[in-house]
Amino acid sequence: AMPVARPEPQEPRVIAHLDLDCFYVQVEQRRNPALRGQPTAVVQYNDWKGGGLIAVSYEARKFGVKRSMRGDEAKNVCPGINLVQVPVSRDKADLNVYRNAGSEVVAILSTKGKCERASIDEVYLDLTDAAKEMLLESPPESSEFTFEEATKSNILDLPSDVGDREENVKAWLCRADANYQDKLLACGAVLVAQLRVKVLEETQFTCSAGIAHNKMLAKLVSGMHKPAQQTVVPSSSVQDFLASLPVKKMKQLGGKLGSSLQDDLGVKTVGDLLGFTEEKLQEYYGVNTGTWLWKTARGFSGEEVEDRLLPKSHGCGKTFPGPKALKNHSSVKSWLDKLCEELSERIQSDLSCNKRVAQTLTLHARASKENECNSMKKFPSKSCPLRYGTGKIQEDAMKLFESGLHDFWGSRSARWSITSLSVTASKIFDIPSGTNSILKYIKGPSSNASTAILDSSSTPELTPFVGNVTQLNIADFHEEQCEPSSIKEECDNSISATQCRLIEGKGAPKKLSKVQGTGSILKFLSQSQPAQHEKRNFDGLICSHQGPGEFFRS
Ligand code: DCP
Ligand code: CA
Ligand code: CA
């Protein structure tokens, strides 16, 4: 989708973007402290050339080890490297341990302001209120302000390689003559430094952060100084910073729009956009995107931090590179079954722990046709209303695959091969309290399937709507940094399990705990459907209470 500008807030805001350093490696280092300070990488389960690296410690990066390498290559450039296998279940990576670790961090960060979980290891925070409060009560320029971690900040306005760096930073943070906006940012820097220290103390994880007046700028700088550092963007430095920033570095300009700017307008950096009037940009890209580009060039962005600690969607995927490509229906089915089983567990868990219901099931695949250089044609993504129950999800996913294959393949007798498969559950809603609405939401607003949920013996007609997906944002599934061509087996921003415990234990956000009456309704539902005992009780393993999700399992 083309980006659209949001109205900007009247008041200056303080926004932070936090990203954990070499995240999977840190999780493994916490599990096995002998790996701390050592060159270490996490590798994907794979028997080819030592597996694909998915996370690399900073010690290993010094040797030139990169995420794009295989285990064998990494050993060549860094013989002492420790390679840790990603946990595996159902023949694929099991990321639960990392999701749970991410949830621990979210639980800490969400204490200081509005918090949006942006990916498995990233969070946005709106610290405006906390910063204002600090400015009133204990402004940084007050004499007792000496907060060491904050004085290690990188301030874009200040040269970063001079001798008295920390003194300069401290002086900047404490400037009595600073304008209101910069003072708020200084408070933001102190708050984020405090939070980062707290995260380190409570989880042993380090993270890096960007602090700015909007999400866009905070995100752009959070990875500028890594690991374990933070970077502040005062308004006065925005123009210079964007002037040299390649357009492709912007999240929304990584694709076609960015290429068009380069090829059609000769725009290489965000700063180059300043040469175009808003009207000109609107002529090229439409009113909305034109305005968005115009504002972006000036560092303006009205996008708000969402109040969301839980993921927007759940996705399970696997790639089948090279010789591993799937070439017949039965191998596709067997992999889809596994992916759907995991997806089903995750949405059941989300239902019982968080009282959330997913409404849409989507299948994505990548395919190639042999003997055809028709690489332009993509395997179309397909969606249908999501029906709870592993068997139903498996059945529906296979129908979506068939439908996609039909569009992709047509009637010609070309041989196909599938190089990646993923299933995603999206359009997730909180269940409102009250019987009617619960039923309504679980079966989807317009369907007539309440009996289907109640009656396990009937198999309701599936009417997938087989149009191409327009609603689903791929970013919900993949991490932003996830390269489509990478060796990744799976990447998503889902949550989990520990999230339940964390949220229940540490004071849940209102929306997660206020559902009333749900239990009894779901008990009622359970009586019309025999309990399933053959499967391990996933929900029971991870949450303290028996979930309603049980009853929708097939
Ligand atoms: N990940 C993955 N495959 C990718 C990208 C990421 O499996 N192509 C996983 C492993 C990473 C985690 O997601 O540890 C977070 O991704 P990041 O891009 O944030 O990278 P890291 O946290 O590993 O390193 P950095 O310190 O650069 O943020
Ligand atoms: Ca990271
Ligand atoms: Ca990240």
Side-chain angles (χ1 to χ4, degrees), residues 19-24 58 61 67 121 226 479 488:
D19 181 295
L20 287 143
D21 302 316
C22 55
F23 183 44
Y24 291 9
Y58 282 81
R61 291 185 203 192
R67 181 142 73 197
D121 78 332
K226 261 182 166 281
E479 289 212 64
K488 266 197 70 50

Side-chain angles (χ1 to χ4, degrees), residues 110-158:
S110 60
T111 54
K112 273 282 192 293
K114 209 198 274 180
C115 176
E116 173 182 336
R117 188 169 192 175
S119 83
I120 198 162
D121 78 332
E122 282 166 55
V123 158
Y124 287 101
L125 294 178
D126 188 331
L127 296 170
T128 311
D129 292 341
K132 283 181 180 168
E133 204 173 296
M134 176 182 260
L135 199 51
L136 285 174
E137 282 166 17
S138 54
E141 73 254 32
S142 66
S143 56
E144 60 268 68
F145 171 69
T146 47
F147 186 67
E148 212 195 315
E149 190 55 40
T151 63
K152 293 184 187 144
S153 299
N154 302 278
I155 316 283
L156 279 196
D157 271 345
L158 304 177

Side-chain angles (χ1 to χ4, degrees), residues 384-530:
C384 68
L386 191 150
R387 301 185 300 155
Y388 275 68
T390 306
K392 290 177 186 141
I393 294 170
Q394 288 169 334
E395 190 183 314
D396 292 355
M398 198 59 202
K399 289 192 184 172
L400 294 175
F401 175 78
E402 301 284 2
S403 157
L405 189 65
H406 180 267
D407 290 6
F408 175 76
W409 189 21
S411 49
R412 285 165 298 157
S413 56
R415 292 179 70 83
W416 48 268
S417 68
I418 295 294
T419 55
S420 102
L421 280 176
S422 75
V423 284
T424 304
S426 63
K427 301 231 183 84
I428 303 183
F429 283 79
D430 295 328
I431 303 178
S433 40
T435 315
N436 295 335
S437 48
I438 289 170
L439 288 171
K440 192 170 99 197
Y441 278 103
I442 286 176
K443 68 189 154 62
S446 61
S447 97
N448 183 27
S450 69
T451 51
I453 288 163
L454 290 166
D455 178 4
S456 65
S457 61
S458 89
T459 316
E461 274 294 304
L462 169 72
T463 42
F465 80 48
V466 285
N468 292 350
V469 184
T470 50
Q471 291 287 329
L472 190 81
N473 180 0
I474 310 282
D476 295 345
F477 176 79
H478 291 285
E479 289 212 64
E480 281 147 23
Q481 306 88 329
C482 177
E483 294 296 321
S485 60
S486 79
I487 43 88
K488 266 197 70 50
E489 186 168 279
E490 173 177 19
C491 62
D492 66 1
N493 58 7
S494 298
I495 265 187
S496 62
T498 316
Q499 184 82 31
C500 299
R501 273 184 252 126
L502 287 165
I503 283 170
E504 282 168 14
K506 295 199 179 178
K510 274 168 261 135
K511 62 176 181 182
L512 296 177
S513 53
K514 76 177 173 203
V515 180
Q516 278 153 20
T518 314
S520 60
I521 285 143
L522 294 159
K523 254 177 223 140
F524 159 71
L525 288 175
S526 76
Q527 287 158 9
S528 10
Q529 189 173 29

Side-chain angles (χ1 to χ4, degrees), residues 186-398:
C187 291
V190 172
L191 287 163
V192 171
Q194 285 169 345
L195 282 168
R196 288 179 40 242
V197 168
K198 198 167 171 213
V199 166
L200 182 61
E201 285 170 353
E202 295 188 15
T203 67
Q204 306 174 31
F205 299 143
T206 66
C207 60
S208 300
I211 300 126
H213 290 303
N214 62 50
K215 278 172 90 169
M216 172 179 83
L217 293 167
K219 162 97 185 171
L220 281 171
V221 300
S222 67
M224 194 180 243
H225 299 277
K226 261 182 166 281
Q229 294 182 68
Q230 60 184 50
T231 305
V232 181
V233 192
S235 305
S236 52
S237 62
V238 171
Q239 206 167 317
D240 282 352
F241 169 59
L242 293 178
S244 56
L245 186 79
V247 281
K248 288 279 186 178
K249 295 258 168 167
M250 297 274 316
K251 185 171 109 187
Q252 299 89 336
L253 299 179
K256 280 187 193 154
L257 181 54
S259 304
S260 162
L261 286 172
Q262 287 182 331
D263 303 344
D264 304 330
L265 303 188
V267 167
K268 290 194 188 65
T269 68
V270 176
D272 292 344
L273 279 171
L274 291 170
F276 297 84
T277 62
E278 186 170 3
E279 291 73 24
K280 254 280 150 314
L281 292 168
Q282 289 179 333
E283 257 175 52
Y284 286 115
Y285 298 107
V287 177
N288 290 331
T289 300
T291 296
W292 181 85
L293 284 167
W294 189 86
K295 288 191 170 181
T296 297
R298 287 151 187 82
F300 301 144
S301 165
E303 205 190 327
E304 291 212 26
V305 175
E306 286 172 43
D307 189 1
R308 182 170 54 72
L309 308 185
L310 298 169
K312 250 184 171 155
S313 63
H314 301 280
C316 305
K318 177 146 178 102
T319 58
F320 310 96
K324 298 221 155 111
L326 310 179
K327 305 200 169 170
N328 56 53
H329 282 78
S330 69
S331 57
V332 167
K333 177 159 189 348
S334 107
W335 276 108
L336 267 186
D337 281 354
K338 290 184 218 188
L339 295 173
C340 290
E341 220 177 281
E342 183 190 325
L343 185 68
S344 183
E345 276 184 2
R346 301 231 314 264
I347 63 176
Q348 290 290 353
S349 164
D350 203 0
L351 177 60
S352 50
C353 296
N354 308 321
K355 310 287 179 287
R356 300 202 311 163
V357 169
Q359 299 206 122
T360 300
L361 175 70
T362 303
L363 176 111
H364 296 282
R366 231 173 278 140
S368 62
K369 284 187 225 175
E370 270 173 32
N371 311 321
E372 273 184 66
C373 33
N374 182 3
S375 56
M376 296 304 286
K377 196 171 174 194
K378 279 191 176 162
F379 194 98
S381 297
K382 297 286 177 180
S383 296
C384 68
L386 191 150
R387 301 185 300 155
Y388 275 68
T390 306
K392 290 177 186 141
I393 294 170
Q394 288 169 334
E395 190 183 314
D396 292 355
M398 198 59 202

